[in-house]
Amino acid sequence: MSEEANKDEQKKNNYSADSIQALEGMEHVRMRPSMYIGDVGVRGLHHLVYEVVDNSIDEAMGGHCDTISVAINEDNSITVRDNGRGIPVDIHKKEGVSALQVVMTKIGAGGKFDKDSYKVSGGLHGVGVSCVNALSTHLKATVFRNGTIYEQEYEKGKAQYPVKSIGETEDRGTEVTFYPDDSIFTQTTEFSYETLSNRMRELAYLNKGVSITMTDKRKKDKESPSGFLEERFFSEEGLKEFIKFLDGNREPLINGVISMEGEKNGIPVEVAMVYNTSYTENLHSYVNNINTHEGGTHLSGFRRGLTGTLKKYADASGMLDKLKFEIQGDDFREGLTAIVSVKVGEPQFEGQTKTKLGNREVSSAVSQAVSEMLTNYLEENPEDAKTIIQKVVLAATARHAATKAREMVQRKTVMSIGGLPGKLSDCSDQNPENCEVFLVEGDSAGGTAKQGRDRMFQAILPLRGKILNVEKAMTHKVFENEEIKNIYTALGVTIGTEEDSKALNLDKLRYHKVVIMCDADVDGSHIETLILTFFFRYMRELIEGGHVYIATPPLYLVKKGQKKRYAWNDQERDEIAESFNGSVGIQRYKGLGEMNAEQLWDTTMNPEFRTLRQVTIDNATETDRVFSMLMGDEVPPRREFIEKNAVYANIDA
Ligand code: 0RA
């Protein structure tokens, strides 16, 4: 064999060996999708879109692209387009096929062959667009590059033909259209416009100067330029604007936004913060555009920088001279809303949900950045500085008073046995994994639930009327509240770990399901929101652990003679009535109290027939904004929200 032919033979062998490897990679993604995208539920489905968009964001961060569009098409497929350089289509030396095909079909290939690319973005799992391809029944990639339009299509990740040119163009960029595989995403393949647009808004704030348009072609809108439901997100000032959007429903304590943007020790750091008149602390942190729920070194760097700088300023001001106790870190963060965003080349993610940044070097970078930013601001705005320190002193004083209340909550839970709240009807099973507790609105419904339950594994905790609105209450009031104390004690959770004085300790959680059960009316949903607000602000780990559920009692009982069926909405009611043909009796349940124990068990509590809605936090930043709007002081935005969502409020009309 000639040398040339030998080389060719070798190349062919290599090529097939590599493509077998690639295939195995794709097969593995399809066999174990959760390993790559977290889960195959609603969250994983939307993750596919983020993965594709992240590639375009990378291109934008490298300065090659400023416009991205994302569309949910009429057939529920997704199209993402950018005006970047376009994925290269020339033959990849090592792989023997086009670079486009490598990017689309090789797990973990990403943009790695382009060493200069400024690649710090990438999804939570950083798995790349090839994973999306593997999990799609069909995907089409179109590249606009060198004056030519190139195209390649794939099925379940397999290329259907080599890259071909299909025409000429003056555009530049990449377009990807994909159809999620319903044999993988068995729960649903329907995309939520709201979920996607919330994420696109967030990305626009985190990457200023990039225009991101989100379109829903399933919904017509005569007023928008495209004729479809559409929003364009664009931020000139980045985090500075993001924080105004986030905190817009709270009353500002000072007028200014304190912000900085720059590089520290080679790490790009962006910080923005405001103080408001509330008592809650709202810290949001991002690494490479990913929300780091569990915090990490960047957040601890922020806290350290903040505490150090404010303490120094306060000491020098003499405003602390009369204070009889130490100011703590927490005191500096009451009424603080802040966003910290860093870009890290090789992020190490730790923690239960892999959303905690571990890189040591980031801590001092952020801490230094914050010190400089804050020192400047305090010097230039002495009035604001005074207002902030006064608020801190107030917080410290209140906290001092609250410590007792908090300790009570802690001590009680620690000696939990015998210390359970009198109102709790506990279950007999001792294994928390099997157990559930129903938080029930009102004593009378509580009584019915107690009769109807399976006492082996179901406990009942009745709550008196409306629980405290924690969004408006000072921390010590929260810990002094009887109903809230009962919740802590009944659940067996404690506050404070070695690392974080506010963290929730779930080691002794007594029930793995905590079910909120309220009337299916306006009052009921208000109480439900109050309880959720409490969980979100004070027991977020409980939600994140997947322990919080909402029960769904029926709205109607349709009867004809001996025949009886329940309905959960108007449509169901009408369908049942029709199937019973003839005159039927319809009972509208206004509250849980109208059901007897057996009915409540059959419809709402029996695991075999009930529907529990699990509470999840899809986007913590947006959830924070919504709670501050629903439960805060400002009335107009709340009214607007309720009017927009009047379908729910109308149930009783
Ligand atoms: C690597 C190299 C080059 C472009 C890209 C990746 C790229 C990837 C994606 C994914 C979505 N949109 C994208 N846009 C660009 C180009 C290198 C060059 O032209 O020199």
Side-chain angles (χ1 to χ4, degrees):
M1 216 184 282
S2 77
E3 212 184 310
E4 202 64 272
N6 200 1
K7 252 194 200 154
D8 268 3
E9 189 63 35
Q10 241 177 19
K11 206 168 165 188
K12 227 163 93 192
N13 286 343
N14 273 348
Y15 169 45
S16 45
D18 277 357
S19 53
I20 286 165
Q21 242 181 11
L23 184 69
E24 279 175 349
M26 299 302 258
E27 290 287 292
H28 194 253
V29 177
R30 290 181 59 79
M31 259 156 48
R32 292 279 165 75
S34 305
M35 266 181 65
Y36 295 85
I37 56 163
D39 65 80
V40 289
V42 175
R43 202 186 288 226
L45 178 75
H46 290 79
H47 195 100
L48 299 180
V49 184
Y50 307 153
E51 206 63 60
V52 178
V53 172
D54 275 339
N55 290 292
S56 301
I57 292 280
D58 274 346
E59 191 67 358
M61 279 167 58
H64 307 294
C65 152
D66 65 5
T67 307
I68 299 170
S69 66
V70 180
I72 309 173
N73 300 310
E74 245 178 314
D75 58 6
N76 200 48
S77 62
I78 296 284
T79 299
V80 178
R81 166 112 187 222
D82 67 52
N83 66 345
R85 293 168 296 176
I87 302 178
V89 289
D90 42 332
I91 300 297
H92 190 266
K93 282 200 197 81
K94 186 170 152 263
E95 308 288 340
V97 296
S98 75
L100 174 62
Q101 184 167 333
V102 176
V103 171
M104 298 312 281
T105 59
K106 223 176 151 169
I107 299 304
K112 266 187 200 148
F113 55 90
D114 180 27
K115 283 208 191 73
D116 302 327
S117 86
Y118 180 51
K119 187 167 178 59
V120 295
S121 159
L124 177 51
H125 306 267
V127 289
V129 68
S130 52
C131 270
V132 178
N133 197 10
L135 302 176
S136 298
T137 50
H138 188 88
L139 186 146
K140 180 162 99 181
T142 314
V143 171
F144 306 82
R145 196 178 155 96
N146 316 324
T148 310
I149 308 174
Y150 302 93
E151 195 172 276
Q152 187 168 42
E153 287 170 85
Y154 317 83
E155 254 151 49
K156 296 178 183 173
K158 266 188 227 152
Q160 298 300 295
Y161 50 82
V163 173
K164 64 182 178 193
S165 54
I166 58 163
E168 292 179 6
T169 181
E170 288 180 4
D171 290 350
R172 273 177 355 134
T174 306
E175 183 176 287
V176 171
T177 298
F178 69 91
Y179 293 77
D181 190 336
D182 60 5
S183 73
I184 304 260
F185 299 94
T186 49
Q187 195 184 330
T188 179
T189 51
E190 194 157 321
F191 289 100
S192 153
Y193 175 80
E194 209 197 337
T195 301
L196 294 179
S197 67
N198 281 335
R199 174 62 179 158
M200 296 312 130
R201 179 186 299 108
E202 187 177 42
L203 280 174
Y205 281 127
L206 291 167
N207 300 278
K208 63 181 174 190
V210 183
S211 163
I212 309 180
T213 304
M214 176 76 222
T215 310
D216 189 346
K217 295 193 171 166
R218 301 167 305 186
K219 297 212 182 77
K220 294 222 158 66
D221 178 356
K222 284 195 211 94
E223 260 135 70
S224 92
S226 66
F228 298 108
L229 171 59
E230 185 165 277
E231 280 168 284
R232 177 177 174 258
F233 304 110
F234 178 81
S235 174
E236 210 156 314
E237 296 187 293
L239 293 196
K240 208 171 161 180
E241 282 172 328
F242 194 7
I243 206 129
K244 282 188 214 157
F245 171 76
L246 247 188
D247 227 42
N249 299 312
R250 299 192 178 96
E251 192 190 329
L253 182 75
I254 55 171
N255 280 322
V257 174
I258 309 172
S259 67
M260 68 76 59
E261 186 201 344
E263 208 165 284
K264 276 269 163 296
N265 312 337
I267 301 165
V269 180
E270 241 187 299
V271 182
M273 54 182 263
V274 288
Y275 275 99
N276 58 58
T277 58
S278 85
Y279 309 107
T280 44
E281 164 188 337
N282 277 301
L283 303 184
H284 302 274
S285 62
Y286 294 86
V287 175
N288 304 345
N289 296 327
I290 297 158
N291 191 328
T292 33
H293 300 274
E294 297 176 273
T297 49
H298 53 331
L299 205 58
S300 57
F302 171 82
R303 290 204 184 97
R304 206 150 40 83
L306 181 90
T307 305
T309 311
L310 282 180
K311 203 166 194 163
K312 202 164 127 197
Y313 188 92
D315 278 335
S317 74
M319 287 170 73
L320 307 184
D321 291 355
K322 275 183 257 155
L323 214 61
K324 299 228 161 48
F325 44 85
E326 273 290 296
I327 296 209
Q328 291 181 1
D330 293 3
D331 304 329
F332 292 101
R333 301 193 298 270
E334 220 180 75
L336 173 71
T337 299
I339 311 171
V340 180
S341 171
V342 295
K343 305 276 159 74
V344 181
E346 280 177 41
Q348 268 130 30
F349 289 114
E350 307 168 345
Q352 286 200 320
T353 54
K354 292 267 174 279
T355 56
K356 182 174 182 183
L357 184 68
N359 303 52
R360 296 269 129 232
E361 69 281 8
V362 180
S363 180
S364 59
V366 177
S367 165
Q368 278 174 43
V370 170
S371 295
E372 278 171 32
M373 161 186 90
L374 205 51
T375 305
N376 283 341
Y377 188 90
L378 297 174
E379 269 167 20
E380 283 165 23
N381 303 276
E383 280 302 310
D384 284 355
K386 199 172 151 195
T387 312
I388 294 171
I389 303 300
Q390 276 168 347
K391 165 115 179 157
V392 171
V393 170
L394 212 71
T397 314
R399 190 234 337 131
H400 195 63
T403 309
K404 246 190 174 158
R406 198 185 299 214
E407 273 170 4
M408 287 289 283
V409 170
Q410 279 172 328
R411 217 172 320 127
K412 244 189 177 168
T413 32
V414 171
M415 7 174 265
S416 74
I417 299 164
L420 290 173
K423 294 207 294 180
L424 176 76
S425 305
D426 207 4
C427 53
S428 40
D429 195 324
Q430 297 283 320
N431 181 357
E433 278 179 39
N434 304 330
C435 296
E436 31 189 71
V437 61
F438 286 77
L439 309 184
V440 188
E441 161 192 358
D443 286 330
S444 93
T448 316
K450 193 178 158 184
Q451 282 170 24
R453 69 178 171 148
D454 182 334
R455 61 189 315 135
M456 186 65 200
F457 67 98
Q458 293 180 317
I460 308 293
L461 181 67
L463 298 174
R464 195 185 330 118
K466 305 217 158 170
I467 84 158
L468 183 71
N469 179 359
V470 301
E471 195 70 37
K472 287 199 212 169
M474 291 181 89
T475 314
H476 71 282
K477 289 281 176 209
V478 174
F479 290 112
E480 280 164 10
N481 182 275
E482 273 312 310
E483 305 303 307
I484 286 176
K485 277 199 282 192
N486 283 343
I487 296 177
Y488 274 104
T489 324
L491 298 189
V493 296
T494 50
I495 323 151
T497 59
E498 258 175 46
E499 238 183 278
D500 183 348
S501 70
K502 279 190 179 166
L504 197 68
N505 184 350
L506 294 179
D507 294 347
K508 299 229 168 69
L509 181 64
R510 303 181 60 250
Y511 314 93
H512 277 210
K513 284 200 174 82
V514 179
V515 187
I516 303 169
M517 188 160 71
C518 293
D519 289 342
D521 64 3
V522 173
D523 265 357
S525 73
H526 186 214
I527 293 168
E528 188 181 294
T529 315
L530 286 167
I531 300 174
L532 284 174
T533 308
F534 164 69
F535 281 145
F536 183 68
R537 294 284 177 223
Y538 286 84
M539 293 194 176
R540 192 172 306 183
E541 295 90 337
L542 196 67
I543 304 181
E544 285 170 345
H547 298 297
V548 181
Y549 296 83
I550 295 171
T552 53
L555 287 182
Y556 302 101
L557 174 63
V558 187
K559 269 197 286 202
K560 188 185 178 189
Q562 294 292 64
K563 282 196 288 191
K564 267 188 197 173
R565 273 181 62 196
Y566 301 95
W568 273 260
N569 55 49
D570 292 6
Q571 194 192 337
E572 242 176 13
R573 173 200 62 194
D574 297 343
E575 279 167 12
I576 295 167
E578 202 166 315
S579 77
F580 281 1
N581 61 61
S583 69
V584 293
I586 291 174
Q587 185 187 350
R588 164 78 169 91
Y589 289 123
K590 289 249 169 60
L592 300 167
E594 290 177 27
M595 271 183 266
N596 63 36
E598 195 190 331
Q599 288 170 328
L600 191 61
W601 164 257
D602 284 344
T603 60
T604 316
M605 297 178 75
N606 180 356
E608 257 186 82
F609 297 111
R610 72 186 179 191
T611 306
L612 291 186
R613 287 185 292 153
Q614 189 174 39
V615 179
T616 58
I617 301 172
D618 175 40
N619 181 320
T621 313
E622 180 60 13
T623 309
D624 168 52
R625 201 184 66 85
V626 170
F627 275 121
S628 75
M629 171 175 73
L630 289 177
M631 308 318 266
D633 282 320
E634 310 265 305
V635 176
R638 177 165 50 218
R639 167 161 324 138
E640 200 181 295
F641 181 85
I642 291 171
E643 279 169 6
K644 253 204 211 157
N645 294 274
V647 212
Y648 306 109
N650 263 339
I651 292 169
D652 259 10

